[in-house]
Amino acid sequence: MEESWGSGYKEYVAGLIAGVATVIVGHPFDTVKVKLQKHNTEVHGIRYKNGLHCTARILRTEGVRGLYRGATPSFLGMAFESSLLFGIYSQTKQLLQGGVQSGGPQPNVIIPSAAFGGSIISFVLCPSELVKCRMQVQGTDSLVPKSVRYTSPLDCALRTVKQEGVMAIFRGGSTTFLREAIGNAVFFSVYEHVRYYMHLKLKAASSDHSNLIDMGIGIVSGGLGGVAFWSAVLPLDVAKTIIQTAPDKNASTNPFQILNSIYRRAGLKGCYTGLGPTIMRAFPANATAIVTWELAGKLLGIKHG
């Protein structure tokens, strides 16, 4: 039991380090994604041609700093969220396996472990993403008057609570819950299967199994897992952005109602607004998360299997 607690603690530390690395790599792509989702699904205001057009406008008006708008709550949220996700996933998986290491990936263990971890972290992610999204959409090309813009993430959180009530900070909570539960079940399923079969193939091809090969497997399995995650749940993310950045506190918080409205106006393409920068972010950000998690795990004496 004592050994299990020690290992469990290390999983959370490794996850925290992975979360920080993910934000450094992925936040600029996320800013572009959020701005596309906000502007290109609304009736009024500027519409971006694509992710590159949006990025160019941000760099021209705000510089690199504009791409990291809202990064503070993202750093805090992702560090804590990643720590919880990897820790809960690893420990739940061990519990469901009953301490017995299986030969290959077990979907009946992976899916519930990942969905459970995802559903728990949604309660942490929802407030931090609400602040992040509200900060991101008020920069370049924003329709929000400068006089009422937030001066910092803390100002955003405090004014949201003051003007809309304490529960407003959890606006979009059910959508975040669905996105994280479904998305992480997909992510870890792809990650575990790709990792397992790549290890099998490379072990058969060569007896010299180096850390460089492990890193390569981590990049591919983590990157493909990230692409699968966002391909599966991007429409829910589009709905979440609209819910969390709506100026009217009485606006709908039903993701399916919002997606139905977008579909009628812009078709399936509208429900996948921001797909380009999302996929461009998904591979490197999630590859970074997995490689950092596995590397930190090795340094801490954890064996991921």
Side-chain angles (χ1 to χ4, degrees):
M1 179 64 77
E2 197 174 322
E3 189 180 333
S4 172
W5 267 106
S7 173
Y9 162 74
K10 290 173 183 177
E11 290 282 10
Y12 289 96
V13 174
L16 188 144
I17 297 166
V20 171
T22 304
V23 177
I24 293 169
V25 173
H27 193 82
F29 295 100
D30 187 67
T31 298
V32 174
K33 177 205 74 172
V34 168
K35 290 188 81 66
L36 281 169
Q37 289 174 344
K38 177 67 175 172
H39 288 275
N40 287 19
T41 55
E42 288 187 333
V43 179
H44 307 291
I46 188 168
R47 294 178 73 83
Y48 300 112
K49 295 172 192 171
N50 49 45
L52 201 60
H53 177 218
C54 180
T55 305
R57 286 191 64 84
I58 293 170
L59 288 172
R60 197 180 306 126
T61 55
E62 298 180 77
V64 175
R65 189 179 174 186
L67 291 171
Y68 280 92
R69 183 178 286 276
T72 304
S74 195
F75 267 113
L76 295 173
M78 272 300 290
F80 190 35
E81 169 262 322
S82 185
S83 174
L84 276 179
L85 176 63
F86 284 111
I88 291 169
Y89 171 71
S90 299
Q91 292 200 309
T92 307
K93 194 172 81 161
Q94 285 170 23
L95 187 69
L96 293 176
Q97 284 174 334
V100 179
Q101 289 291 328
S102 66
Q106 297 173 283
N108 61 318
V109 170
I110 296 165
I111 292 170
S113 301
F116 177 60
S119 62
I120 296 297
I121 63 164
S122 69
F123 295 100
V124 177
L125 269 181
C126 184
S128 72
E129 287 206 359
L130 179 133
V131 172
K132 172 186 73 71
C133 287
R134 291 189 175 192
M135 291 295 293
Q136 285 173 322
V137 300
Q138 70 172 15
T140 304
D141 302 317
S142 176
L143 294 174
V144 181
K146 287 190 177 180
S147 58
V148 296
R149 290 184 188 180
Y150 305 114
T151 56
S152 68
L154 183 61
D155 177 51
C156 176
L158 292 174
R159 278 168 59 185
T160 297
V161 171
K162 187 179 178 182
Q163 293 167 6
E164 302 173 42
V166 177
M167 291 309 293
I169 208 77
F170 286 98
R171 187 176 179 83
S174 60
T175 311
T176 309
F177 181 93
L178 285 172
R179 186 195 71 180
E180 291 303 311
I182 297 167
N184 279 294
V186 172
F187 171 79
F188 280 105
S189 295
V190 171
Y191 159 68
E192 294 279 14
H193 281 83
V194 172
R195 179 175 178 268
Y196 176 74
Y197 288 110
M198 282 189 76
H199 271 296
L200 272 187
K201 292 286 183 186
L202 290 169
K203 272 182 183 174
S206 170
S207 57
D208 182 27
H209 201 72
S210 67
N211 286 334
L212 204 60
I213 289 175
D214 284 340
M215 193 176 288
I217 292 172
I219 289 168
V220 175
S221 58
L224 290 178
V227 170
F229 178 113
W230 287 106
S231 299
V233 300
L234 187 61
L236 284 170
D237 189 66
V238 171
K240 183 193 75 70
T241 297
I242 292 166
I243 289 166
Q244 292 187 323
T245 58
D248 180 9
K249 66 178 182 181
N250 296 315
S252 174
T253 56
N254 183 327
F256 303 108
Q257 193 176 62
I258 289 164
L259 287 172
N260 185 44
S261 172
I262 294 170
Y263 182 77
R264 286 203 312 269
R265 191 167 63 246
L268 191 62
K269 188 181 176 182
C271 297
Y272 276 87
T273 301
L275 180 64
T278 300
I279 297 301
M280 280 179 68
R281 168 190 180 273
F283 197 98
N286 287 279
T288 300
I290 287 297
V291 169
T292 307
W293 177 52
E294 290 185 347
L295 205 60
K298 278 183 182 177
L299 293 171
L300 293 165
I302 308 165
K303 187 184 177 184
H304 293 133

